Amino acid sequence: MSTTCPTVLDQPLLRPADLGDLRLPNRVVMAPMTRARATGEGLVPNGMHAAYYGQRAGAGLIITEGTWVSERAIGFPNVPGVYSEEQVGGWRRVTDTVHALGGRIVLQLWHTGAASHPDHLGGALPAGPSAVDPRERSYTPGGPKETVTPREMTITEIRETVADYGAAAANARRAGFDGVEIHALGSFQIPQFLNPRLNRRHDAYGHDPAGRRRLLMEIVDAVAAAWDGRRVGVRLSPYWTAERFTADERTLADYDALVAELSDQPVAYLHLRGPAPAAPDAAPGHDAFARYRRLFDGPLIANHGFGRESGNAVIEAGLADAVSYATHFVANPDLVVRFALDHELAAGDPGTYYTGGAGGYIDYPVVTE
């Protein structure tokens, strides 16, 4: 442990903050992480989920793993949903535990779209914005498989999907969550609609940048309708790169317009995944967060590669209101305490990230001195 231990007030990360109508006692946010522990029938959260999130209730805000808004959304094994009564009951046990321990927790809503696989959908083709293979790998119960060319979604299917998000948000409220976050990150459904390489539609949900972002805007409205005040976050990844995703100037300009439009929506916060740090041990740069800070008139959570010092620095610079951590929270359920006392961080075991059992999930120790 360091011989110089800063007090709580010395660290911007440990000051309270408001994200819309979410009141945070500190700015250390637990980022959403797929952990594949819903191994029982019906993809229902279980007692391990309650223990896992309860152990991390010291976070200023917990954002859960991405959670299926419907059976049509599924695209990864053993991930829980929020579309059945049994799932709502399982999540109620989680939220009751987190709240009893003084925490705050929001549910992330997820749909994989064309990045799913027929193995997840009873043999049916996934549906995407257009009949274009996203050229991703889908993790199926039988192992990783290449994606296939999807069906183009009909207007009716798009409207049904928007309704699924709205119903999932209402279910999240019944399950006791403090809000929800819309998963618009990576190579999944919403980013597919935003991407002109995958969205080749000529109707109201394509054709130009305004059309391509229409699905997200309709989802924001549907999800926000389930809540009083501002309790809906949106997570974006403008700098995501994959075979069909490129962070070129055209992409970034489209995201500029999207983020500016989100400022006028009933959004509690923008959760921004920045570009990868220049080197494994390098601190994240500030330019990406400065770019979107100028465009978004609301709270911003910075994500991707931050540690304690770099997290404090981005908040102190006025470029973020909070910082989210993923891998640090895997092995450090008491991450806020470790930051406050300047304790060394433990390292997680990637071999247990998706294995389904208690090992590497709820058995990491906390500091005792």
Side-chain angles (χ1 to χ4, degrees), residues 22-26 57-63 98-99 102-106 178:
L22 299 166
R23 307 284 185 255
L24 279 56
N26 63 71
L61 179 67
I62 293 171
I63 306 170
V98 170
H99 290 150
R104 294 133 304 279
I105 183 168
V106 301
D178 299 299

Side-chain angles (χ1 to χ4, degrees), residues 165-183:
Y165 273 93
N171 285 344
R173 184 169 183 175
R174 291 197 298 118
F177 284 96
D178 299 299
V180 292
E181 179 177 281
I182 297 169
H183 186 310

